[in-house]
Structures are given as structure tokens and as C-alpha cells.
Amino acid sequence: MGEDNADELRELGEQLQDASTVLQVQEIRNAWLGRKGIITARLKGVALLPVEERRQAGQQWNSVRLAIETMIDDALARLQNQEEILQLEQERLDMTIPGIEPAVALLHPLTRVRRLVEDVFLRMGFTLSYGPEVESEWYNFEALNIPPNHPARDMQDSFFVDIPNLVLRTHTSPVQIRGMQAAAGQLPVKIIAPGRVYRRDDDPTHTPMFHQIEGLVVDHKISLADLQGTLLAMTKDLLGSDIRTRFRPSYFPFTEPSMEVDVTCAACNGTGCRVCKGTGWVEILGSGMVHPVVLRNGGYDPKQVTGFAFGLGIERLAMRIFELDDLRLLYQNDLEFLSRFSRYTGRPAL
Ligand code: PHE
């Protein structure tokens, strides 16, 4: 390779050094190796040489062309790599940017509240359990120590179906019995049972179909303190640590003693208003220590084990969380109304 060639290669090297994009290198390649490029012209020139020089000159220019191609390929590889890195850096995924909220297929506020409650109990080690909505009178009433003359059985309260001994379940409590039977004597029984329930009620705070979450814990030495501790943990988790909670003595045939749990009204913060009927409190659940008859019907010996149970009204809790004064709004399928709550993620500052 003569002096000329070395100079040319040096010049090419400098050009490539200065190039900062793949496009620039492609232009350089064109200028040297393209149809009207420098090397192409030289190779054409070879054909004009006298025959004895042609062979050698041809070989020489060919090897120059190979050298040039290698240099250009190297430069291309280097820049492609650099551009890739640059692109990757520019495209870096920022996981902290808020997502785009879908305009359709939002979860219904009641579904959101149900899932919030489920999460609280699943974190405490409960498992999910389900029962049928068309239930036998035995599971819905007898097994739960509800006598035949109890007002809950009355035509005013229950929806009976045409098939004898069947009823649309009036609460999720029959799953207490089903859950114990399924556990077949194993301990502990620690379940929650969400689902639809039906009663012949219809006013601003009652709909004929509504949702409950039943809870049941059965084990050795379960006490009222366990019940209170569990439910306090739940109200604080769902409504924030500032929430005030009140346990009120009550009566259910399937618990003894029985308690109802109230939380401060969200609409007035406890001062008394239309939503809480002036009391400052909203009832969210019924609870108590499982009645011995119920334990026995579930296959457990009340001399060996004790338990607590609760039934939480999802609509009531939703009213408290979303500050609603008419729960029928939840069932009118007004998308504008329903989507107002789509941003609620639960978990207030604790
Ligand atoms: N089943 C009762 C109701 O629907 C609530 C409840 C459940 C009470 C469990 C005590 C224990 O009102």
C-alpha cells in the first residue's frame, strides 16, 4: 500500500472519529464506497492502467476497500451501540408516574369496599368461605338457634321460594354452620364469608338485596377480648386510627352475649345529623360469642371450644366511607355517581 493510501485511510479515520450518528457514518460510506465514491472511482481508474500494472493496482485498491469497509463497520457498530444506550436511557420506565385511569370497567364502590374488608381479614389469617344464596330454612334459621316463631322468619322479613323449606338467605350467618361442617372438627376455624343477602326492606338505609361479610373464629379459649381486638383492628384499618368505635349490647339468637358495633358518623363527625338520625353513630355490624347450640350444630363441642362471629353490612360501611345519605344511590347505575368513588383506594393515613 503506497503513501497515498495511508493518507486516505488516515483521512477516513478522522472523518469516522468526528461522526456522531449512524446516519453520518452511512453518508461517509457513500462518499467512499458509493457508486460515485472515492474508492469506486479509483477502482474504475485501474481499468485504464496498462495491463502489466492492472493486476497489482487492482489487488491494492481491493485491499484498501476491505480496510475501509472494516473501519466503517467498526464505526457503525460503536455508534449503534451508543445510540441504543442513549435510547434506553431516554426510555427509562418511571414506575412512579400515575397510571391512566380507565374510563370504563371501574369497580363498583360496593365491590371496592368488599375487597377492602376481605384484605383486612386475609392479612389477619382468615380464609374465604361461600354459601348458597338460596338456602335451606335449617341453615338459615334452625341451625342458628332461630326458633320458628322468630320475627326474622315472618313473611314481612324473608323471601321464601316456591320450593318448600327454601328461603333467600336473610344473612350470611348460615355460612357459619357450613364453614364449621366443612372444617370437620379441625381447629382453628377462621373464615370470612362475603355475599348477597335478601330481606323485605326498602327505605333510604335498606334495600331488599344487600351484602354482608360474615366472620367466624372457633378455637380453644376464644374470648370476647379476641372479638373486640379483631373488630377494633378492622375499623382502624378501614377508617383510620382516629375513628371512634362503640360496642353496644344487643341480641341475636345465635350469639351470647351479643354486641352491635357503631362507628362515628362520617357525615357529621359524631355531632348528630340526618344520616345518623341525630345520634352521631352509624351501626356497621352485629357480633357476639357463638352460641353453644350453634357450635354443636357445626359439629363442635361447646365444652371444648368457644368462638366469636360477626356480620358486617357492606352497604353500611360504604355509606360511612363514601359519606352517602341514601344507599339506594348505589343501585341506580348512574355512572357519573358511581365513578365519583373510583379513586378511593381505602387505607386512610393510619
Ligand atoms: N346475622 C346477623 C344479621 O344479619 C349479624 C350477626 C352475625 C350477628 C354474626 C352476630 C353474629 O343481622
Short mmCIF file of all heavy atoms in Angstrom, two decimals, residues 105-126:
data_model
loop_
_atom_site.label_atom_id
_atom_site.label_comp_id
_atom_site.label_asym_id
_atom_site.label_seq_id
_atom_site.Cartn_x
_atom_site.Cartn_y
_atom_site.Cartn_z
N ALA A 105 -65.29 0.05 32.91
CA ALA A 105 -64.91 -1.13 33.68
C ALA A 105 -64.31 -0.77 35.02
O ALA A 105 -63.39 -1.40 35.50
CB ALA A 105 -63.95 -2.02 32.88
N LEU A 106 -64.82 0.28 35.64
CA LEU A 106 -64.39 0.60 37.01
C LEU A 106 -65.12 -0.35 37.95
O LEU A 106 -66.22 -0.81 37.66
CB LEU A 106 -64.78 2.04 37.35
CG LEU A 106 -64.15 3.10 36.46
CD1 LEU A 106 -64.81 4.46 36.70
CD2 LEU A 106 -62.67 3.18 36.73
N LEU A 107 -64.50 -0.60 39.08
CA LEU A 107 -65.16 -1.46 40.05
C LEU A 107 -66.25 -0.68 40.77
O LEU A 107 -66.09 0.49 41.09
CB LEU A 107 -64.14 -1.99 41.05
CG LEU A 107 -63.15 -2.99 40.50
CD1 LEU A 107 -62.16 -3.41 41.58
CD2 LEU A 107 -63.87 -4.20 39.93
N HIS A 108 -67.36 -1.35 40.99
CA HIS A 108 -68.46 -0.74 41.73
C HIS A 108 -67.99 -0.44 43.16
O HIS A 108 -67.24 -1.22 43.74
CB HIS A 108 -69.64 -1.72 41.75
CG HIS A 108 -70.91 -1.11 42.23
ND1 HIS A 108 -71.17 -0.93 43.57
CD2 HIS A 108 -71.98 -0.63 41.57
CE1 HIS A 108 -72.37 -0.37 43.70
NE2 HIS A 108 -72.88 -0.18 42.49
N PRO A 109 -68.44 0.70 43.73
CA PRO A 109 -67.98 1.04 45.08
C PRO A 109 -68.21 -0.09 46.09
O PRO A 109 -67.38 -0.28 46.98
CB PRO A 109 -68.82 2.27 45.46
CG PRO A 109 -69.54 2.71 44.25
CD PRO A 109 -69.25 1.77 43.13
N LEU A 110 -69.28 -0.85 45.92
CA LEU A 110 -69.52 -1.94 46.88
C LEU A 110 -68.49 -3.06 46.72
O LEU A 110 -68.07 -3.68 47.70
CB LEU A 110 -70.93 -2.51 46.72
CG LEU A 110 -72.06 -1.59 47.17
CD1 LEU A 110 -73.41 -2.21 46.85
CD2 LEU A 110 -71.94 -1.29 48.66
N THR A 111 -68.08 -3.29 45.47
CA THR A 111 -67.04 -4.29 45.23
C THR A 111 -65.73 -3.83 45.86
O THR A 111 -65.00 -4.61 46.47
CB THR A 111 -66.83 -4.49 43.71
OG1 THR A 111 -68.08 -4.83 43.13
CG2 THR A 111 -65.82 -5.59 43.44
N ARG A 112 -65.46 -2.52 45.71
CA ARG A 112 -64.23 -1.99 46.30
C ARG A 112 -64.24 -2.14 47.81
O ARG A 112 -63.25 -2.57 48.40
CB ARG A 112 -64.04 -0.52 45.91
CG ARG A 112 -63.96 -0.31 44.41
CD ARG A 112 -63.97 1.16 44.08
NE ARG A 112 -62.70 1.78 44.34
CZ ARG A 112 -61.71 1.84 43.48
NH1 ARG A 112 -61.86 1.32 42.29
NH2 ARG A 112 -60.58 2.40 43.79
N VAL A 113 -65.37 -1.82 48.43
CA VAL A 113 -65.44 -1.91 49.89
C VAL A 113 -65.33 -3.37 50.33
O VAL A 113 -64.61 -3.69 51.27
CB VAL A 113 -66.73 -1.25 50.43
CG1 VAL A 113 -66.89 -1.53 51.92
CG2 VAL A 113 -66.69 0.25 50.18
N ARG A 114 -66.02 -4.26 49.60
CA ARG A 114 -65.93 -5.68 49.96
C ARG A 114 -64.48 -6.15 49.92
O ARG A 114 -63.98 -6.80 50.83
CB ARG A 114 -66.76 -6.55 49.00
CG ARG A 114 -66.48 -8.04 49.21
CD ARG A 114 -67.38 -8.97 48.41
NE ARG A 114 -67.41 -8.73 46.98
CZ ARG A 114 -66.45 -9.07 46.13
NH1 ARG A 114 -65.35 -9.66 46.57
NH2 ARG A 114 -66.57 -8.82 44.84
N ARG A 115 -63.78 -5.76 48.84
CA ARG A 115 -62.39 -6.21 48.72
C ARG A 115 -61.50 -5.62 49.81
O ARG A 115 -60.58 -6.27 50.30
CB ARG A 115 -61.84 -5.84 47.35
CG ARG A 115 -62.50 -6.65 46.26
CD ARG A 115 -61.76 -6.48 44.96
NE ARG A 115 -62.39 -7.22 43.88
CZ ARG A 115 -61.94 -7.21 42.64
NH1 ARG A 115 -60.88 -6.49 42.33
NH2 ARG A 115 -62.54 -7.90 41.71
N LEU A 116 -61.79 -4.36 50.20
CA LEU A 116 -61.01 -3.74 51.29
C LEU A 116 -61.17 -4.55 52.58
O LEU A 116 -60.20 -4.83 53.28
CB LEU A 116 -61.48 -2.31 51.54
CG LEU A 116 -61.07 -1.26 50.51
CD1 LEU A 116 -61.79 0.06 50.79
CD2 LEU A 116 -59.57 -1.06 50.54
N VAL A 117 -62.44 -4.91 52.87
CA VAL A 117 -62.70 -5.66 54.10
C VAL A 117 -62.03 -7.04 54.01
O VAL A 117 -61.38 -7.50 54.95
CB VAL A 117 -64.21 -5.81 54.35
CG1 VAL A 117 -64.46 -6.61 55.62
CG2 VAL A 117 -64.87 -4.44 54.47
N GLU A 118 -62.18 -7.69 52.84
CA GLU A 118 -61.55 -9.00 52.67
C GLU A 118 -60.05 -8.91 52.91
O GLU A 118 -59.47 -9.75 53.60
CB GLU A 118 -61.82 -9.53 51.25
CG GLU A 118 -63.25 -10.00 51.03
CD GLU A 118 -63.54 -10.35 49.58
OE1 GLU A 118 -62.63 -10.21 48.72
OE2 GLU A 118 -64.68 -10.74 49.29
N ASP A 119 -59.43 -7.86 52.35
CA ASP A 119 -57.98 -7.70 52.52
C ASP A 119 -57.59 -7.61 53.99
O ASP A 119 -56.61 -8.22 54.41
CB ASP A 119 -57.50 -6.43 51.80
CG ASP A 119 -57.45 -6.63 50.29
OD1 ASP A 119 -57.61 -7.77 49.86
OD2 ASP A 119 -57.26 -5.63 49.57
N VAL A 120 -58.38 -6.84 54.75
CA VAL A 120 -58.06 -6.68 56.18
C VAL A 120 -58.02 -8.05 56.86
O VAL A 120 -57.09 -8.38 57.57
CB VAL A 120 -59.11 -5.78 56.88
CG1 VAL A 120 -58.92 -5.81 58.39
CG2 VAL A 120 -59.04 -4.36 56.35
N PHE A 121 -59.05 -8.87 56.59
CA PHE A 121 -59.13 -10.16 57.29
C PHE A 121 -58.17 -11.19 56.71
O PHE A 121 -57.65 -12.04 57.44
CB PHE A 121 -60.57 -10.67 57.31
CG PHE A 121 -61.43 -9.88 58.27
CD1 PHE A 121 -62.33 -8.93 57.81
CD2 PHE A 121 -61.28 -10.06 59.64
CE1 PHE A 121 -63.10 -8.19 58.71
CE2 PHE A 121 -62.04 -9.32 60.54
CZ PHE A 121 -62.95 -8.39 60.08
N LEU A 122 -57.94 -11.13 55.41
CA LEU A 122 -56.98 -12.08 54.83
C LEU A 122 -55.60 -11.83 55.43
O LEU A 122 -54.85 -12.76 55.71
CB LEU A 122 -56.95 -11.96 53.30
CG LEU A 122 -58.22 -12.44 52.59
CD1 LEU A 122 -58.14 -12.20 51.09
CD2 LEU A 122 -58.49 -13.92 52.86
N ARG A 123 -55.29 -10.54 55.65
CA ARG A 123 -54.00 -10.23 56.29
C ARG A 123 -53.94 -10.76 57.72
O ARG A 123 -52.87 -11.00 58.24
CB ARG A 123 -53.75 -8.71 56.28
CG ARG A 123 -52.96 -8.26 55.06
CD ARG A 123 -52.61 -6.80 55.11
NE ARG A 123 -53.67 -6.01 54.50
CZ ARG A 123 -54.34 -5.06 55.09
NH1 ARG A 123 -54.06 -4.72 56.34
NH2 ARG A 123 -55.30 -4.41 54.46
N MET A 124 -55.11 -10.91 58.36
CA MET A 124 -55.13 -11.44 59.73
C MET A 124 -55.18 -12.97 59.73
O MET A 124 -55.33 -13.58 60.77
CB MET A 124 -56.33 -10.88 60.50
CG MET A 124 -56.20 -9.40 60.85
SD MET A 124 -57.35 -8.94 62.18
CE MET A 124 -58.60 -8.05 61.28
N GLY A 125 -55.13 -13.58 58.56
CA GLY A 125 -55.07 -15.04 58.51
C GLY A 125 -56.40 -15.75 58.33
O GLY A 125 -56.49 -16.96 58.46
N PHE A 126 -57.47 -14.99 58.03
CA PHE A 126 -58.76 -15.62 57.74
C PHE A 126 -58.73 -16.18 56.32
O PHE A 126 -57.96 -15.72 55.47
CB PHE A 126 -59.89 -14.58 57.82
CG PHE A 126 -60.27 -14.18 59.23
CD1 PHE A 126 -59.41 -13.42 60.01
CD2 PHE A 126 -61.50 -14.56 59.76
CE1 PHE A 126 -59.76 -13.04 61.31
CE2 PHE A 126 -61.85 -14.19 61.05
CZ PHE A 126 -60.99 -13.42 61.83
#
